[in-house]
Amino acid sequence: MARPIWTGTLSFGLLNVPVSLMPGERRTDLQFRMLDSRDRKPVRYERVNADTGEEVPWKDVVKAFEYDKGSYVVLEEEDIKAAAPESHETVEVEAFVDATEIDPRFYEKPYVLVPAKKAEKGYVLLRETLRGSGRVGIARVVIRTREYLAAVLPQGDALVLELLRYPQELVDPADYPLPAGKPSDYRISAKELQMAEQLIDSMSGKWAPGDYKDEFRERLQAIIRKRIKSKGGTARIEDEPEAPEETTTNVVDFMSLLQKSLAAKQRTPAKKTAARTAKKAPAKKAAKKAAAKKAAPRRKTG
């Protein structure tokens, strides 16, 4: 079984659901090593100075940003840590939006949220509410050291967390020379449109992902197995140890937390997610924490 990326909480309103973030994709690319054709020994990739050709030890390697051609500014570890987000163990849902409003181009990478023991009630509550409303949760999550925008959506018995691309990461199609206008502008007749629709209808069916396979990978694997057999080689796969499951014993009064979350939203209307600034001013942040500590009840886990 795969190991969790991290364990933490899925948070919406005052409700916290202990979860594990599990990989939602399986990499099937075949990995190759580079060998010296003369003696079949692995070829190493070394860090060398571009001018002297000498190998550079890790302790002397620094990170730098090229702000102009050939001009660099060196960043210290403290600089990177100062810019890093604070929370590493929470999927913080900030808003709920209609699932149909999200352009498919924004979806980047899937993960599966797995509830901890005794946390199934909150998990199912959110899953079924999202399913019934046709909405998805828009959240922020920190994976390793980077903060991502994400969507939390129901899929079967699971809550799936899909990393989202930021708008600036997408290219506007209008940047390219595209054929705008009506079909008639390109001398497409009504008959041609009708025939094209008939062709699409004749090729239509239900989406069955199991019908599609990476044929190139399968053919290449067959060649590899044949080569191994002819050379008398062997292959060994070692299973990774299973990660221990998280446990929790707290009981949560979900009705009370839901009522308090609704009351809080009615007192202070939520701002749109898009208006959220990347970095809050220290004074504003401190005031918000002080107000939250005074007005909001202590969060429970369950």
Side-chain angles (χ1 to χ4, degrees), residues 176-187:
Y176 300 107
L178 302 174
K182 300 175 294 184
S184 58
D185 296 338
Y186 299 91
R187 295 181 294 179

PDB file of all heavy atoms in Angstrom, residues 176-187:
ATOM      1  N   TYR A 176      -3.446  32.663 -29.378  1.00  0.00           N
ATOM      2  CA  TYR A 176      -3.081  31.961 -30.610  1.00  0.00           C
ATOM      3  C   TYR A 176      -4.021  32.340 -31.745  1.00  0.00           C
ATOM      4  O   TYR A 176      -5.178  32.721 -31.515  1.00  0.00           O
ATOM      5  CB  TYR A 176      -3.125  30.452 -30.394  1.00  0.00           C
ATOM      6  CG  TYR A 176      -2.173  29.961 -29.323  1.00  0.00           C
ATOM      7  CD1 TYR A 176      -2.639  29.531 -28.082  1.00  0.00           C
ATOM      8  CD2 TYR A 176      -0.795  29.939 -29.553  1.00  0.00           C
ATOM      9  CE1 TYR A 176      -1.772  29.097 -27.100  1.00  0.00           C
ATOM     10  CE2 TYR A 176       0.088  29.509 -28.577  1.00  0.00           C
ATOM     11  CZ  TYR A 176      -0.408  29.088 -27.353  1.00  0.00           C
ATOM     12  OH  TYR A 176       0.460  28.665 -26.380  1.00  0.00           O
ATOM     13  N   PRO A 177      -3.557  32.229 -32.980  1.00  0.00           N
ATOM     14  CA  PRO A 177      -4.428  32.533 -34.132  1.00  0.00           C
ATOM     15  C   PRO A 177      -5.450  31.418 -34.335  1.00  0.00           C
ATOM     16  O   PRO A 177      -5.140  30.367 -34.902  1.00  0.00           O
ATOM     17  CB  PRO A 177      -3.436  32.611 -35.300  1.00  0.00           C
ATOM     18  CG  PRO A 177      -2.286  31.753 -34.886  1.00  0.00           C
ATOM     19  CD  PRO A 177      -2.178  31.898 -33.396  1.00  0.00           C
ATOM     20  N   LEU A 178      -6.663  31.629 -33.858  1.00  0.00           N
ATOM     21  CA  LEU A 178      -7.710  30.621 -33.928  1.00  0.00           C
ATOM     22  C   LEU A 178      -8.791  31.040 -34.924  1.00  0.00           C
ATOM     23  O   LEU A 178      -9.039  32.239 -35.111  1.00  0.00           O
ATOM     24  CB  LEU A 178      -8.326  30.407 -32.544  1.00  0.00           C
ATOM     25  CG  LEU A 178      -7.362  29.993 -31.441  1.00  0.00           C
ATOM     26  CD1 LEU A 178      -8.076  29.964 -30.097  1.00  0.00           C
ATOM     27  CD2 LEU A 178      -6.758  28.631 -31.748  1.00  0.00           C
ATOM     28  N   PRO A 179      -9.438  30.089 -35.559  1.00  0.00           N
ATOM     29  CA  PRO A 179     -10.495  30.417 -36.530  1.00  0.00           C
ATOM     30  C   PRO A 179     -11.790  30.842 -35.853  1.00  0.00           C
ATOM     31  O   PRO A 179     -12.602  29.998 -35.463  1.00  0.00           O
ATOM     32  CB  PRO A 179     -10.670  29.101 -37.310  1.00  0.00           C
ATOM     33  CG  PRO A 179     -10.269  28.035 -36.344  1.00  0.00           C
ATOM     34  CD  PRO A 179      -9.181  28.631 -35.504  1.00  0.00           C
ATOM     35  N   ALA A 180     -11.976  32.119 -35.656  1.00  0.00           N
ATOM     36  CA  ALA A 180     -13.190  32.629 -35.028  1.00  0.00           C
ATOM     37  C   ALA A 180     -14.301  32.766 -36.068  1.00  0.00           C
ATOM     38  O   ALA A 180     -14.070  32.682 -37.276  1.00  0.00           O
ATOM     39  CB  ALA A 180     -12.905  33.977 -34.375  1.00  0.00           C
ATOM     40  N   GLY A 181     -15.526  32.972 -35.565  1.00  0.00           N
ATOM     41  CA  GLY A 181     -16.639  33.189 -36.481  1.00  0.00           C
ATOM     42  C   GLY A 181     -17.553  31.997 -36.623  1.00  0.00           C
ATOM     43  O   GLY A 181     -17.391  30.978 -35.947  1.00  0.00           O
ATOM     44  N   LYS A 182     -18.500  32.103 -37.551  1.00  0.00           N
ATOM     45  CA  LYS A 182     -19.504  31.070 -37.765  1.00  0.00           C
ATOM     46  C   LYS A 182     -19.030  30.047 -38.784  1.00  0.00           C
ATOM     47  O   LYS A 182     -18.126  30.334 -39.590  1.00  0.00           O
ATOM     48  CB  LYS A 182     -20.803  31.717 -38.243  1.00  0.00           C
ATOM     49  CG  LYS A 182     -21.395  32.726 -37.250  1.00  0.00           C
ATOM     50  CD  LYS A 182     -22.620  33.419 -37.834  1.00  0.00           C
ATOM     51  CE  LYS A 182     -22.233  34.303 -39.020  1.00  0.00           C
ATOM     52  NZ  LYS A 182     -23.397  35.056 -39.544  1.00  0.00           N
ATOM     53  N   PRO A 183     -19.649  28.842 -38.785  1.00  0.00           N
ATOM     54  CA  PRO A 183     -19.284  27.821 -39.783  1.00  0.00           C
ATOM     55  C   PRO A 183     -19.399  28.319 -41.218  1.00  0.00           C
ATOM     56  O   PRO A 183     -18.578  27.976 -42.075  1.00  0.00           O
ATOM     57  CB  PRO A 183     -20.275  26.691 -39.506  1.00  0.00           C
ATOM     58  CG  PRO A 183     -20.631  26.844 -38.071  1.00  0.00           C
ATOM     59  CD  PRO A 183     -20.633  28.315 -37.816  1.00  0.00           C
ATOM     60  N   SER A 184     -20.403  29.155 -41.456  1.00  0.00           N
ATOM     61  CA  SER A 184     -20.599  29.657 -42.823  1.00  0.00           C
ATOM     62  C   SER A 184     -19.445  30.540 -43.290  1.00  0.00           C
ATOM     63  O   SER A 184     -19.203  30.673 -44.499  1.00  0.00           O
ATOM     64  CB  SER A 184     -21.912  30.435 -42.906  1.00  0.00           C
ATOM     65  OG  SER A 184     -21.908  31.517 -41.981  1.00  0.00           O
ATOM     66  N   ASP A 185     -18.731  31.142 -42.324  1.00  0.00           N
ATOM     67  CA  ASP A 185     -17.567  31.957 -42.692  1.00  0.00           C
ATOM     68  C   ASP A 185     -16.466  31.117 -43.311  1.00  0.00           C
ATOM     69  O   ASP A 185     -15.569  31.656 -43.984  1.00  0.00           O
ATOM     70  CB  ASP A 185     -17.028  32.691 -41.458  1.00  0.00           C
ATOM     71  CG  ASP A 185     -18.018  33.684 -40.879  1.00  0.00           C
ATOM     72  OD1 ASP A 185     -18.924  34.117 -41.626  1.00  0.00           O
ATOM     73  OD2 ASP A 185     -17.909  34.014 -39.681  1.00  0.00           O
ATOM     74  N   TYR A 186     -16.521  29.820 -43.081  1.00  0.00           N
ATOM     75  CA  TYR A 186     -15.498  28.914 -43.622  1.00  0.00           C
ATOM     76  C   TYR A 186     -16.107  27.956 -44.660  1.00  0.00           C
ATOM     77  O   TYR A 186     -15.578  26.883 -44.906  1.00  0.00           O
ATOM     78  CB  TYR A 186     -14.861  28.129 -42.467  1.00  0.00           C
ATOM     79  CG  TYR A 186     -14.190  29.036 -41.459  1.00  0.00           C
ATOM     80  CD1 TYR A 186     -14.913  29.511 -40.364  1.00  0.00           C
ATOM     81  CD2 TYR A 186     -12.891  29.484 -41.631  1.00  0.00           C
ATOM     82  CE1 TYR A 186     -14.329  30.387 -39.454  1.00  0.00           C
ATOM     83  CE2 TYR A 186     -12.301  30.352 -40.728  1.00  0.00           C
ATOM     84  CZ  TYR A 186     -13.035  30.800 -39.640  1.00  0.00           C
ATOM     85  OH  TYR A 186     -12.454  31.672 -38.739  1.00  0.00           O
ATOM     86  N   ARG A 187     -17.221  28.400 -45.215  1.00  0.00           N
ATOM     87  CA  ARG A 187     -17.918  27.662 -46.276  1.00  0.00           C
ATOM     88  C   ARG A 187     -18.283  26.240 -45.863  1.00  0.00           C
ATOM     89  O   ARG A 187     -18.172  25.305 -46.639  1.00  0.00           O
ATOM     90  CB  ARG A 187     -17.078  27.655 -47.563  1.00  0.00           C
ATOM     91  CG  ARG A 187     -16.896  29.038 -48.166  1.00  0.00           C
ATOM     92  CD  ARG A 187     -16.101  29.002 -49.432  1.00  0.00           C
ATOM     93  NE  ARG A 187     -14.719  28.591 -49.190  1.00  0.00           N
ATOM     94  CZ  ARG A 187     -13.811  28.466 -50.162  1.00  0.00           C
ATOM     95  NH1 ARG A 187     -14.123  28.704 -51.427  1.00  0.00           N
ATOM     96  NH2 ARG A 187     -12.582  28.094 -49.871  1.00  0.00           N
TER      97      ARG A 187
END
